[in-house]
Amino acid sequence: GQNIDQPTEMTATEGAIVQINCTYQTSGFNGLFWYQQHAGEAPTFLSYNVLDGLEEKGRFSSFLSRSKGYSYLLLKELQMKDSASYLCAVDSLAGGFKTIFGAGTRLFVKA
Amino acid sequence: IAGITQAPTSQILAAGRRMTLRCTQDMRHNAMYWYRQDLGLGLRLIHYSNTAGTTGKGEVPDGYSVSRANTDDFPLTLASAVPSQTSVYFCASSSDTGELFFGEGSRLTVL
């Protein structure tokens, strides 16, 4: 089976740094994605990791450790518009190529 | 504008009725997916299709069916709707890198 865990909610202050963790158990691992979803909108792509290490893209970075089944999304210089849900998703080749999502982490950015 | 188009945007229907949610993409992506999103549960995969002519079951397939007659269209049918199928439904397609592109969602209420 597959299992993806991430915190339900987090709160951070504007201008600060926040790290959202994700742990996963899956067979046929083929990569890990992070998506951002604002309330009432569709998810949008943030990052993709398939090899161990850190991927940096502007204010957002994503880290992966395949041996530990662990990833995190790092958001720097938080802005109010970063208030959203952040979804960790795992690509799996088990039983057919598909993407499975965690329940998501709701981030509240306060002034 | 290229992307995923879902219809209807919102629908209320009586339990026991048949309903088809439409999804069309113009990006020529091979893979397409249907997810439902419920509060606290995140996105759950209903059915997927890795290429035209093939479909597969996701995490929560019961009560739903799909078809993939061509590359562009991937309709989701509820043969006999039940209140537990009240949800927001997202259709998505994926590029060769696995990145998902989502439609705007279809909000379905079954009474």
Side-chain angles (χ1 to χ4, degrees):
Chain A
Q2 300 179 77
N3 192 46
I4 302 171
D5 290 315
Q6 49 182 133
T8 302
E9 288 186 1
M10 300 182 70
T11 301
T13 304
E14 192 176 18
I17 299 173
V18 69
Q19 178 175 313
I20 303 174
N21 296 324
C22 171
T23 59
Y24 65 90
Q25 293 176 309
T26 187
S27 54
F29 177 82
N30 192 50
L32 188 142
F33 291 86
W34 285 95
Y35 288 83
Q36 180 190 59
Q37 185 178 26
H38 286 100
E41 298 181 7
T44 56
F45 170 81
L46 284 179
S47 69
Y48 173 63
N49 295 71
V50 65
L51 300 176
D52 286 358
L54 187 69
E55 294 282 341
E56 297 186 78
K57 188 187 295 185
R59 292 189 300 115
F60 293 4
S61 302
S62 57
F63 172 84
L64 176 67
S65 168
R66 295 178 63 143
S67 62
K68 296 181 179 179
Y70 168 70
S71 173
Y72 67 73
L73 180 69
L74 193 71
L75 292 75
K76 306 174 187 176
E77 302 170 13
L78 279 174
Q79 302 175 10
M80 299 299 287
K81 67 179 182 179
D82 296 330
S83 291
S85 288
Y86 292 86
L87 316 178
C88 175
V90 173
D91 253 8
S92 171
L93 295 175
F97 185 78
K98 52 186 179 288
T99 303
I100 303 298
F101 283 80
T105 299
R106 292 183 67 188
L107 175 66
F108 299 92
V109 180
K110 59 182 182 179
Chain B
I1 299 177
I4 303 265
T5 303
Q6 288 185 234
T9 303
S10 179
Q11 182 75 45
I12 299 173
L13 75 160
R17 297 298 296 269
R18 180 184 178 89
M19 178 71 195
T20 295
L21 302 180
R22 300 183 298 279
C23 176
T24 299
Q25 56 118 348
D26 60 4
M27 295 176 282
R28 308 303 294 172
H29 289 163
N30 284 321
M32 296 187 75
Y33 310 83
W34 274 106
Y35 291 89
R36 60 177 289 173
Q37 188 170 38
D38 304 289
L39 194 62
L41 296 176
L43 285 159
R44 292 183 292 167
L45 183 64
I46 305 171
H47 285 286
Y48 66 96
S49 169
N50 288 144
T51 189
T54 69
T55 62
K57 294 182 179 180
E59 302 167 275
V60 288
D62 295 342
Y64 306 94
S65 63
V66 292
S67 62
R68 188 86 184 278
N70 56 62
T71 298
D72 297 344
D73 301 301
F74 191 43
L76 176 73
T77 297
L78 290 68
S80 179
V82 295
S84 62
Q85 292 177 312
T86 293
S87 187
V88 180
Y89 292 85
F90 285 100
C91 179
S93 68
S94 66
S95 65
D96 291 342
T97 61
E99 176 185 345
L100 291 175
F101 296 81
F102 287 88
E104 291 304 307
S106 296
R107 183 175 297 275
L108 186 65
T109 302
V110 182
L111 302 176

